[in-house]
Amino acid sequence: MPPPALEIHDLTVAYRDTPVLWDVDLVVPEGVLMAVVGPNGAGKTTLIKAVLGLVDVAAGQTRVHGKPYAEARRRVAYVPQRGSVDWDFPASVLDVVGMGLYGTLGWFRRPGAAERAAAMDALREVGMDAYADRQIAQLSGGQQQRVFLARALVQGADVFLMDEPFQGVDATTERAIIALLQRLRAGGKTLVVVHHDLQTVPEFFDHVLLLNVRRIAAGPVAEVFTDDNLRRTYGGRVPFAAAREATPVDAAPGEVASVAADGAA
Amino acid sequence: MEALLTDYTLRTVALGAAVLGATAGALGTFAVLRGQSLVGDAVSHAALPGVVLAFLVTGGTHPLALVVGAALAGWAGMAAVGAVTRHSRIPFDAALAMALAVFFGIGLMLLVGVQRRPEGAQSGLATFLFGQAAAMLTRDVAVMAGVGALALAALAAFWKELVLLAFDPGAAAALGLPVRRLDLLLTTLVVVAVAIGLQTVGVVLMSALLVAPAAAARQWTDRVGAMTLLAAAVGAGSGVAGTVWSALVPRLPTGPAVVLVATAVVGVSLLVAPGRGLLAGALRARRARATLGGMGTLQDLFTLAEAHPENPHHAHPEAVLRTMTLRPDGVAPDLAALAARGLAERAGDGWRLTADGLRRAREMARVGT
């Protein structure tokens, strides 16, 4: 059996003395579209950054297709939060998408015709090819998000780590993005997506990780995305219509920490 | 101008200043794009003790020795900033300010000490504070040109990596680029640009030669390559103009002269650049107002009309409209625009919607809900 697309073992990350992630285990099988949900400060972004080696890890290992990230880097594409860069930077849409190829292009080589063609293909896939020559500041939030997706697509990766790709995009863009993600999954890619809208999880995703510093639960949406697990994740304050067929919410917020003790690992 | 072609000294000075301005402008672009405009200031101040120590160690003012001394001290200053931010909770800008003050203080102490000595008083080290173009010799220019060319070559060689580092360091790291080493390279290049400019422009104002050309260039282009070239050109131009100016006027220090020229270019760019310039922005706003044609005031007239359902064409005084908006001075031009488009008309002492205006306002209200 081939190793899973992404494997996280005993991952602990702390900023100063505060743990942001505590002893997290996760196995992401190949070819799934997984949402990562949890309250603010749950460590969702940190989880992704830890896999990519962008934050210092106190303990634990992560493996991509059975290998450490440094060896599997070319199989992984990262879509950071849109707000993490200055969009007034003097670059065109095509420039930014082309940056996705800088990891494989090699030192001292400039992007040429082949790279431009690849970047145009990626832009076409996200419906942004008409904007190739635009300065990136002239784009709407949703368009900027799609540029970041195109920059990930151009890498030809098969594992995608995305941080809030639906943040601040309009309904049309949201549909376009989810259609793209589902197309990628249909093509055998693995996608791990930090997501904030619980309402759309069952509709958009097939797997879900419920995270609040600790892993609360992970697995297929149908099995794991339950009222009970959501309550354990959000401490009794489930932030949408009380998880639909709501049973009365009775777990006290204080209970969460004790229930969360890593049952599924 | 004629002197520029005939006077040998002046030609030397101008050439050196051009090399310096081009190097500082191009490298300053990256400092500015990374939001680290103050790095140049910290480096230049931190370099002063290095200059004096180099003089003490070598016993002379050979330009290469002074440049190396300045670069080592400037680099040590940045290393101190890095160490402080990594191992404490002190933020980057506070660490920069501390390094600047401490190193500059040490530099001033050393400088005053050296100047008390007979050989020190004639060394001309004091010109390093505000810069002195007249002090530039051919061998100074040769050192500047050589070192500057090396720095620019390094920038060109690592161009795409440095651009990605400036735009999105997280993505650069995820792609496997050695972000820490690239960051170090960029800092080193800025240190080099500062070091070759110190004698000409001076410790105090050197950072302006890094920042001003980039700020001016950004106004004119939306491409980082064009911005870098343009910043180099602005830097070279300001360097030449400022140093020639100071060489022609006795006792005019070069630093202030160069900075005044560069700042003037920034000022003009902020005003008149197409797209990002203030004038272009004002023109756009005016055009937008003209097209919108006082739609806000149309809405306000409509609100008043709704309050009188029995007679929607009842007239209301302009003063009432002025109380309904955050921009009372815009009411009169708005009304004029509306009248010109046949949407509102004067009636007695007040204004009212025409039938067209009422229809238009209803449409807008529908769309809005």
Side-chain angles (χ1 to χ4, degrees):
Chain A
M1 205 179 101
L6 176 65
E7 208 175 346
I8 296 173
H9 194 58
D10 288 343
L11 181 68
T12 295
V13 179
Y15 287 140
R16 313 262 172 219
D17 301 328
T18 320
V20 184
L21 289 173
W22 188 260
D23 205 17
V24 172
D25 289 281
L26 178 68
V27 173
V28 184
E30 209 173 327
V32 307
L33 175 49
M34 175 183 272
V36 179
V37 298
N40 288 334
K44 306 185 291 286
T45 294
T46 306
L47 181 80
I48 284 191
K49 288 191 169 173
V51 174
L52 296 164
L54 300 182
V55 294
D56 289 334
V57 167
Q61 297 98 43
T62 64
R63 289 186 166 263
V64 177
H65 289 293
K67 290 188 183 132
Y69 177 69
E71 288 169 40
R73 184 174 277 139
R74 293 192 177 177
R75 303 185 70 171
V76 181
Y78 167 47
V79 180
Q81 278 183 27
R82 181 163 57 85
S84 66
V85 303
D86 172 16
W87 288 93
D88 197 35
F89 194 88
S92 72
V93 166
L94 196 65
D95 292 340
V96 170
V97 176
M99 288 176 187
L101 296 166
Y102 287 7
T104 48
L105 199 53
W107 296 99
F108 313 119
R109 283 198 50 211
R110 293 286 166 83
E115 285 73 26
R116 249 194 311 281
M120 279 308 292
D121 285 345
L123 277 175
R124 219 164 284 130
E125 237 179 295
V126 299
M128 287 287 294
D129 44 325
Y131 295 84
D133 292 324
R134 284 285 181 94
Q135 142 76 10
I136 52 176
Q138 295 168 1
L139 305 178
S140 72
Q143 291 169 334
Q144 290 172 348
Q145 193 66 63
R146 283 192 273 168
V147 170
F148 261 6
L149 286 169
R151 184 180 71 176
L153 287 179
V154 80
Q155 296 176 41
D158 52 25
V159 176
F160 290 80
L161 304 177
M162 304 185 172
D163 202 348
E164 301 259 21
F166 299 102
Q167 176 92 63
V169 307
D170 55 278
T172 320
T173 310
E174 183 175 90
R175 276 194 299 278
I177 292 178
I178 195 62
L180 172 70
L181 301 194
Q182 287 170 347
R183 218 157 53 230
L184 288 168
R185 181 201 40 201
K189 315 283 190 192
T190 309
L191 302 100
V192 177
V193 181
V194 174
H195 193 54
H196 62 279
D197 181 11
L198 291 179
Q199 206 104 44
T200 50
V201 167
E203 181 194 342
F204 289 177
F205 298 91
D206 53 17
H207 277 55
V208 65
L209 163 66
L210 295 157
L211 186 72
N212 189 352
V213 183
R214 294 160 187 268
R215 161 210 171 117
I216 308 295
V221 171
E223 290 168 27
V224 171
F225 199 64
T226 62
D227 292 353
D228 191 40
N229 278 338
L230 282 170
R231 225 177 289 123
R232 286 165 60 201
T233 311
Y234 287 88
R237 297 178 301 271
V238 179
F240 81 99
R244 295 163 318 254
E245 307 89 39
T247 47
V249 173
D250 51 12
E255 256 174 82
V256 177
S258 55
V259 224
D262 203 20
Chain B
M1 270 304 104
E2 213 184 300
L4 197 58
L5 298 173
T6 52
D7 186 323
Y8 176 75
T9 313
L10 203 54
R11 220 165 45 206
T12 310
V13 167
L15 187 63
V19 168
L20 166 64
T23 312
L27 292 167
T29 299
F30 280 79
V32 168
L33 286 178
R34 300 180 77 204
Q36 298 188 346
S37 302
L38 286 174
V39 163
D41 211 22
V43 168
S44 66
H45 283 75
L48 185 61
V51 173
V52 186
L53 284 175
F55 170 76
L56 287 175
V57 168
T58 62
T61 55
H62 192 278
L64 195 56
L66 297 187
V67 163
V68 169
L72 285 178
W75 206 81
M78 286 314 292
V81 170
V84 167
T85 44
R86 258 197 306 285
H87 299 297
S88 78
R89 295 188 182 205
I90 294 170
F92 183 70
D93 59 338
L96 271 186
M98 280 164 48
L100 182 155
V102 170
F103 276 71
F104 189 53
I106 295 172
L108 282 179
M109 269 170 53
L110 290 172
L111 186 60
V112 170
V114 164
Q115 293 214 295
R116 292 230 175 88
R117 302 201 207 160
E119 80 274 16
Q122 284 149 32
S123 66
L125 283 186
T127 60
F128 275 83
L129 281 181
F130 302 110
Q132 193 49 268
M136 224 190 290
L137 304 172
T138 314
R139 60 173 191 180
D140 297 299
V141 174
V143 168
M144 279 170 147
V147 177
L150 270 180
L152 290 180
L155 180 65
F158 298 100
W159 174 259
K160 71 176 191 301
E161 287 81 9
L162 292 175
V163 169
L164 180 53
L165 178 76
F167 174 61
D168 190 348
L175 285 174
L177 298 182
V179 171
R180 284 278 274 278
R181 260 174 286 164
L182 287 169
D183 186 63
L184 192 68
L185 170 70
L186 203 50
T187 304
T188 307
L189 294 181
V190 170
V191 166
V192 165
V194 167
I196 63 172
L198 278 188
Q199 187 171 20
T200 311
V201 181
V203 163
V204 179
L205 292 171
M206 181 58 212
S207 70
L209 201 50
L210 287 165
V211 175
R218 182 66 187 92
Q219 290 294 109
W220 299 92
T221 172
D222 278 332
R223 294 291 182 274
V224 61
M227 179 181 169
T228 308
L229 288 177
L230 197 55
V234 170
S238 311
V240 172
T243 43
V244 169
W245 180 17
S246 93
L248 295 178
V249 179
R251 302 199 152 270
L252 175 65
T254 320
V258 169
V259 168
L260 285 178
V261 173
T263 313
V265 178
V266 173
V268 170
S269 304
L270 284 175
L271 272 179
V272 306
R276 297 173 76 93
L278 292 175
L279 284 180
L283 272 179
R284 260 198 312 279
R286 221 178 112 169
R287 235 175 281 136
R289 256 203 308 280
T291 357
L292 288 174
M295 286 305 148
T297 301
L298 183 77
Q299 292 283 319
D300 289 342
L301 275 170
F302 182 59
T303 308
L304 292 173
E306 296 260 273
H308 297 271
E310 74 290 347
N311 177 16
H313 295 291
H314 178 80
H316 298 274
E318 194 178 318
V320 172
L321 290 164
R322 290 173 64 92
T323 63
M324 297 176 73
T325 170
L326 292 170
R327 212 168 46 85
D329 292 341
V331 169
D334 278 6
L335 286 170
L338 290 173
R341 296 169 64 185
L343 299 175
E345 62 192 359
R346 194 184 278 281
D349 284 342
W351 287 81
R352 65 185 185 194
L353 291 172
T354 62
D356 265 357
L358 193 60
R359 203 176 311 122
R360 187 67 203 278
R362 283 208 179 104
E363 275 168 26
M364 284 174 61
R366 242 197 336 270
V367 172
T369 48

